[in-house]
């Protein structure tokens, strides 16, 4: 099991553009076209499946919101921070 990060660790290590909300980190990516967001969400889902760490993904008309937490551990872990970085790189 991974260790849950403290609030200070999360705030220090969370990539720019991500927000610490409760027991998760969240980012909304904006897109000009709906299908661009859908394509990004699909790419993010493939990355998540490869890492076996699945976020909550919400697709809206011009944005995609991704929420990360480690449910088994009950909060944000190193794996969530790493996944956030992977999603940013995919964008």
């Amino acid at each position: 099991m991974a260790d849950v990060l403290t609030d200070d660790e999360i705030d220090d290590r969370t990539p720019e553009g991500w927000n610490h909300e409760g027991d998760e980190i969240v980012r909304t990516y904006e897109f000009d076209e709906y299908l661009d967001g859908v394509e990004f969400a699909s790419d993010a889902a493939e990355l998540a499946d490869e890492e076996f760490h699945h976020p909550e993904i919400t697709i809206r008309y011009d944005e995609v919101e991704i929420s990360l937490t480690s449910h088994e551990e009950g909060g944000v872990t190193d794996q969530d921070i790493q996944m956030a970085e992977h999603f940013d790189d995919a964008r």
Side-chain angles (χ1 to χ4, degrees):
M1 292 186 81
D3 292 332
V4 173
L5 301 175
T6 66
D7 287 344
D8 287 339
E9 289 172 323
I10 295 168
D11 293 339
D12 288 343
R13 297 182 50 206
T14 299
E16 186 175 333
W18 288 81
N19 297 307
H20 177 200
E21 298 177 6
D23 64 350
E24 60 188 14
I25 55 174
V26 179
R27 178 164 185 182
T28 301
Y29 297 90
E30 295 184 4
F31 298 89
D32 291 331
E33 301 289 330
Y34 174 74
L35 290 178
D36 292 339
V38 171
E39 183 177 348
F40 170 73
S42 178
D43 292 344
E46 285 184 37
L47 281 169
D49 205 46
E50 288 171 10
E51 296 294 324
F52 200 69
H53 193 66
H54 304 98
E56 181 175 312
I57 301 173
T58 304
I59 302 171
R60 297 185 189 92
Y61 174 72
D62 61 351
E63 60 188 24
V64 173
E65 181 182 86
I66 297 182
S67 302
L68 286 162
T69 190
S70 295
H71 296 285
E72 306 81 31
E73 283 75 19
V76 177
T77 66
D78 286 326
Q79 190 173 22
D80 298 301
I81 300 296
Q82 292 168 359
M83 288 303 301
E85 292 168 349
H86 289 312
F87 294 143
D88 286 350
D89 290 343
R91 176 63 165 107

